[in-house]
Amino acid sequence: MKHIYIISLGGLILLMGMFFIVVTIQSNNHFKFKKTAREMLLDVTTPDHYISFDQVRESLNSPGKYKLIDLRTPKEFVGSHIEGAINIPFDRILDEAHEPIFKEDLPKILYGESPVTANAAWMVLTQYGYENLSVLNGGISAWMNSSKSEDTLGNTGIRDEISNFDYAELLDDN
Amino acid sequence: MGPIVPLFNVSNEINLLFAFIIGLGFGFVLEQAGFSSSRKLAGMFYGYDITVLKVFFTAAITGMLGLIFLNFMGLIDLDIIYINEYYITSSIIGGIIMGAGFIIGGFCPGTSFTAAAIGKIDAMWFVAGSIAGIFLFGEIYPLLESIYMSNYEGAVKISNILGIRDGYFALLLIIVASIMFWIGELAEKKFKREDISKEI
Amino acid sequence: MDPYIAGVLLGLVLLASFYLTGRGLGASGATRSIVVSGVSAIAPNHAENSEYFKKYLHDESPMKSWLVLEIAGVIIGGFLSGAWAGRLKLKVEHSPKITSRRRIMLASAGGLLFGFGSQLGRGCTSGAALTGMATLSLAGFVTMLAIFGTAFALAYFFRKNWI
Amino acid sequence: MNTRIIISIIMISLGSIAAMLPKTKNSSIQLKADELLREMKRQTYVISADELADLLINQDPSILLIDVRDSVDYAQYHLPGAINIPLKELLDPEWAPYVDQISQKNIFYSNGTTLSSEAWILTKQIGFRNNYILGGGLNKWFSTIIKPEFPATSAPSETWALYETRKAASQYFTGSKAADKEENAVILPPIPRKKKTRVQGGCS
């Protein structure tokens, strides 16, 4: 009789151990990045993920072929947003509820108050493993007043990184 | 997230405080296990009392399993933990000399300090002897330098050499240890020394 | 105390040492620090240019090292445990077959061998063997096998001193 | 019940669990996606142009300006005392002592905030600490500090005070002394963090 008691003790420990491993592996891999920092650095230093205002305006008249994602807070979103856009606040982009949206293989365009937050979200989502993501080359305010005059930039440079001043010359004449 | 001292740049004084506290535990457990008696220590080699084998291997296995599980849970970073460097010749020759010292002297440095602490005069002489031994080594070191430094293999782990996972090797060692414990207990019954064990 | 329980406790102390400081237990290193500080006190220039000792004569005093504090703890821990178990008694423990003088000679000879061997093997049973085995280092296992193997091999020749 | 058997059974079962554990390379410093998102949301890593002007005027020795634009832009103009680590070389080992350290405050900057925040995101997730970015980049720096716009007459006194401090700062950076600031802007030698080196131990 004694031995059964011992064997069951060992078996119990074994079972608890198995459960413990499964749980730790599960929690360990949750939210783990798929790409490494170095791979992301390569993606980032070839910035071909920006979309110009013109391209977005063209795609506006073919709904269903793209998805516009507004990263601002719901309040701002209600105030004004590009028509056809859906609202996923910046800190909710990794929620399970939004996973199907990011998993669709439609081109998804991210935009927000400024292109910097959109680009940050793009980095996290791309490293997390989602594909076919791009960033609007400008903030919502730039988009609003650009819709009237024609868009000069195209998607050559990152709008935010263009130097508004000629720094060196500016310093000399002071 | 261990190890605490290197990862959180803890000051040296606190590190030394940790050393003292760890030493307290080490000394207390050694003495409680009866390691302060040389005859109990020597018992392992004559079969009448294999406490050394039991305590030593259980401690090593507990430490090993502890490190493996802590590492798995991400609570300790094994890249920082000190792993002994392996110099083939000096490890073996050093081990042989220490083995001789063990069977002749009856102590090892850790247990000799514990025994000296509770009044064993022979342990005090053992400590004096080891001081002389270290001084001797220091003096004739230039002659031994080649052996001391020869074929350095780096801080190599046995599981890497055998190409198996740490946990897998731990299981093998546990099975071997369990068998040794079983044989040891048989030996204790066979080589029973009533006269010694009532003295210790 | 049951040896297995003591073994688990010792294992936990070893684990605590790894978790807190990243290094395992040790003992012979402390004796070396005593020797180094002794030699540098008595003959400083000799210590300076002795190949082996100058390695341990970096800036702060050798006595302020991790292992010395640990061994101080070991001595006090051992004393407390001895006091608690009522084993505090000045005596020479030896087998009835040999005199205490012979026992003291053997102990100091054993100490000499162990001190010498621990420097060559870079650690004693607790420093190299026990800690080494816990971290699965090959050096630990080789040193442990060498120590216990030789002790078992020579046991027959020294049995009169023990049994 | 003989303790040997109990201990052996417990250890064998624990050992078999240990044997099943996958080989985890727990790089203790790789942030997960949600952790990185939370850090970004907190925006504690953004330094405003005014704060930077203050730090530079007080010659705070603990900051190091890092220009993440490419060398051409850097040669054209860079903030006094700034070193140039183009973004594509950010993770090269040669720059590690500058980027992965805990003793000084690195401030990444570029024309805007896109490149600098990318640099921050990449360094933050692999556990590098003490890295900040200049909010708005050089564009904001020039539009607020170097050429502060004149506040409307009816503006509250704080905007006037702010304008005065910015005007003074502008003097500091563009006035006659600006020239020599370039040369003697000491570039801090990197104090590398004692990275994951093995702890010294044992009895050797």
Side-chain angles (χ1 to χ4, degrees):
Chain A
M1 203 287 287
K2 280 259 171 35
H3 290 295
I4 300 157
Y5 159 68
I6 290 295
I7 306 297
S8 57
L9 176 74
L12 188 71
I13 291 178
L14 216 58
L15 276 177
M16 264 189 334
M18 305 283 284
F19 171 71
F20 150 76
I21 293 179
V22 167
V23 163
T24 342
I25 292 178
Q26 216 51 28
S27 70
N28 241 344
N29 290 349
H30 198 43
F31 283 136
K32 233 182 173 68
F33 275 129
K34 304 292 182 292
K35 290 182 162 190
T36 66
R38 276 185 202 291
E39 282 156 1
M40 268 325 282
L41 183 60
L42 290 179
D43 284 2
V44 157
T45 40
T46 53
D48 48 14
H49 57 280
Y50 280 90
I51 285 203
S52 73
F53 291 165
D54 293 351
Q55 281 170 302
V56 171
R57 224 169 275 116
E58 276 145 33
S59 56
L60 276 187
N61 39 40
S62 54
K65 284 222 186 39
Y66 65 92
K67 207 172 262 305
L68 266 165
I69 299 172
D70 186 322
L71 298 165
R72 293 173 299 152
T73 59
K75 201 155 50 56
E76 287 164 323
F77 178 75
V78 164
S80 70
H81 60 269
I82 305 175
E83 80 273 14
I86 49 171
N87 177 236
I88 303 179
F90 179 79
D91 50 11
R92 306 243 66 79
I93 52 178
L94 291 175
D95 292 2
E96 255 84 10
H98 306 307
E99 221 168 298
I101 301 167
F102 289 116
K103 281 226 165 59
E104 272 180 77
D105 57 5
L106 280 174
K108 295 169 278 292
I109 304 160
L110 303 164
Y111 75 88
E113 192 45 49
S114 89
V116 180
T117 41
N119 186 42
W122 174 82
M123 277 182 79
V124 171
L125 292 166
T126 319
Q127 190 168 2
Y128 191 50
Y130 296 126
E131 273 111 19
N132 211 334
L133 282 159
S134 47
V135 174
L136 183 66
N137 198 354
I140 178 82
S141 41
W143 162 268
M144 285 305 173
N145 26 22
S146 83
S147 55
K148 297 166 195 68
S149 65
E150 38 74 36
D151 168 24
T152 56
L153 187 68
N155 61 354
T156 51
I158 305 168
R159 180 186 295 271
D160 174 60
E161 284 300 332
I162 297 150
S163 54
N164 303 354
F165 307 87
D166 180 342
Y167 304 123
E169 167 266 339
L170 198 71
L171 274 181
D172 303 345
D173 62 28
N174 255 39
Chain B
M1 178 70 210
I4 309 278
V5 166
L7 275 187
F8 297 96
N9 291 335
V10 168
S11 75
N12 193 24
E13 281 65 29
I14 296 183
N15 190 13
L16 295 179
L17 180 66
F18 284 157
F20 182 72
I21 295 166
I22 291 164
L24 275 180
F26 188 24
F28 191 84
V29 170
L30 276 185
E31 212 287 324
Q32 281 300 312
F35 275 20
S36 51
S37 135
S38 58
R39 302 191 73 196
K40 199 171 176 78
L41 290 169
M44 164 169 159
F45 305 113
Y46 299 104
Y48 58 83
D49 183 336
I50 59 149
T51 314
V52 171
L53 187 79
K54 296 179 189 170
V55 174
F56 191 82
F57 273 84
T58 320
I61 288 166
T62 315
M64 188 188 297
L65 285 177
L67 282 180
I68 291 170
F69 282 112
L70 282 177
N71 179 37
F72 173 72
M73 285 183 278
L75 291 175
I76 208 164
D77 191 342
L78 286 186
D79 303 341
I80 306 177
I81 298 283
Y82 171 74
I83 292 183
N84 303 57
E85 270 95 22
Y86 180 38
Y87 292 79
I88 301 180
T89 25
S90 62
S91 284
I92 295 172
I93 299 172
I96 291 168
I97 297 172
M98 282 193 271
F102 203 164
I103 195 68
I104 297 169
F107 288 115
C108 78
T111 42
S112 66
F113 283 114
T114 325
I118 65 163
K120 293 279 173 65
I121 298 167
D122 51 327
M124 295 168 194
W125 280 99
F126 183 94
V127 169
S130 49
I131 288 175
I134 294 172
F135 179 71
L136 179 68
F137 183 85
E139 289 313 309
I140 61 169
Y141 177 73
L143 309 176
L144 301 168
E145 188 153 10
S146 60
I147 305 170
Y148 187 70
M149 285 301 175
S150 63
N151 29 42
Y152 174 59
E153 299 286 325
V156 65
K157 284 174 81 165
I158 194 163
S159 50
N160 298 352
I161 291 282
L162 302 174
I164 51 177
R165 288 201 304 268
D166 292 1
Y168 198 63
F169 178 79
L171 180 61
L172 295 182
L173 186 71
I174 289 168
I175 294 168
V176 165
S178 307
I179 297 167
M180 277 202 301
F181 292 157
W182 179 57
I183 296 170
E185 292 210 350
L186 292 182
E188 263 179 349
K189 292 192 189 63
K190 193 159 166 308
F191 299 102
K192 204 139 197 46
R193 309 293 301 202
E194 217 33 66
D195 53 350
I196 297 174
S197 34
K198 68 177 176 328
E199 246 175 64
I200 305 162
Chain C
M1 182 192 268
D2 178 295
Y4 295 108
I5 312 289
V8 170
L9 283 179
L10 186 54
L12 292 178
V13 168
L14 181 61
L15 209 52
S17 168
F18 275 125
Y19 187 75
L20 288 176
T21 63
R23 52 156 299 152
L25 302 172
S28 53
T31 332
R32 185 194 48 242
S33 304
I34 296 169
V35 170
V36 164
S37 55
V39 169
S40 70
I42 300 161
N45 42 34
H46 173 66
E48 278 313 320
N49 45 41
S50 114
E51 267 299 297
Y52 188 65
F53 291 130
K54 71 174 186 316
K55 277 196 282 186
Y56 303 100
L57 279 178
H58 40 65
D59 37 41
E60 66 209 65
S61 82
M63 289 308 275
K64 191 167 178 269
S65 84
W66 198 90
L67 286 169
V68 170
L69 265 299
E70 191 227 15
I71 285 301
V74 164
I75 292 171
I76 294 171
F79 178 79
L80 293 176
S81 155
W84 184 54
R87 282 195 279 267
L88 291 184
K89 184 167 171 307
L90 268 180
K91 69 172 183 166
V92 175
E93 183 191 24
H94 59 85
S95 128
K97 289 207 185 79
I98 57 171
T99 66
S100 58
R101 224 168 62 75
R102 180 176 164 80
R103 167 65 194 137
I104 286 175
M105 265 221 309
L106 284 170
S108 28
L112 188 112
L113 281 173
F114 219 111
F116 190 89
S118 67
Q119 294 316 297
L120 189 56
R122 291 179 177 77
C124 57
T125 34
S126 38
L130 181 61
T131 313
M133 280 168 70
T135 51
L136 292 169
S137 86
L138 190 53
F141 283 94
V142 166
T143 316
M144 183 272 293
L145 289 174
I147 296 175
F148 288 137
T150 326
F152 267 111
L154 301 176
Y156 176 76
F157 304 105
F158 295 94
R159 67 188 184 293
K160 286 200 183 52
N161 308 322
W162 297 109
I163 309 167
Chain D
M1 198 64 258
N2 160 337
T3 46
R4 173 174 63 81
I5 296 180
I6 295 179
I7 292 274
S8 313
I9 293 281
I10 293 174
M11 283 207 291
I12 286 177
S13 33
L14 283 179
S16 37
I17 297 167
M20 284 182 277
L21 295 182
K23 189 129 189 65
T24 52
K25 179 76 198 75
N26 73 331
S27 57
S28 52
I29 35 178
Q30 172 63 42
L31 281 186
K32 293 207 182 75
D34 54 345
E35 289 156 355
L36 183 60
L37 205 61
R38 235 176 288 121
E39 290 290 331
M40 284 153 68
K41 189 84 178 105
R42 283 186 17 232
Q43 292 292 326
T44 50
Y45 57 92
V46 181
I47 289 192
S48 74
D50 297 305
E51 282 163 11
L52 180 61
D54 195 34
L55 286 170
L56 287 178
I57 292 169
N58 304 337
Q59 293 181 334
D60 180 334
S62 78
I63 66 162
L64 174 67
L65 290 165
I66 298 181
D67 189 325
V68 288
R69 298 172 300 165
D70 51 37
S71 43
V72 170
D73 298 341
Y74 177 79
Q76 233 178 18
Y77 173 75
H78 56 267
L79 288 173
I83 61 170
N84 179 227
I85 303 183
L87 193 59
K88 45 189 179 323
E89 295 167 14
L90 185 65
L91 298 179
D92 291 357
E94 123 209 46
W95 297 113
Y98 289 91
V99 177
D100 175 15
Q101 46 71 42
I102 52 169
S103 48
Q104 67 203 23
K105 238 175 163 173
N106 288 344
I107 302 177
F108 295 118
Y109 74 86
S110 59
N111 291 340
T113 345
T114 305
L115 292 186
S116 48
S117 54
E118 281 168 356
W120 182 82
I121 291 171
L122 291 171
T123 48
K124 181 71 187 174
Q125 63 175 272
I126 44 180
F128 295 174
R129 297 193 292 229
N130 285 35
N131 293 326
Y132 298 82
I133 67 170
L134 171 59
L138 286 179
N139 290 341
K140 189 94 177 340
W141 173 259
F142 269 80
S143 63
T144 51
I145 301 296
I146 304 301
K147 284 165 57 55
E149 8 83 20
F150 204 78
T153 46
S154 61
S157 59
E158 300 85 18
T159 18
W160 275 98
L162 187 61
Y163 171 71
E164 287 317 322
T165 42
R166 285 180 176 170
K167 199 68 193 135
S170 156
Q171 271 313 319
Y172 177 84
F173 286 109
T174 57
S176 56
K177 307 187 294 313
D180 58 27
K181 208 161 313 326
E182 204 55 60
E183 288 78 28
N184 61 23
V186 67
I187 297 174
L188 272 166
I191 307 157
R193 170 167 67 116
K194 191 156 61 61
K195 280 228 302 332
K196 279 175 64 166
T197 49
R198 213 167 269 297
V199 164
Q200 180 46 28
C203 297
S204 54

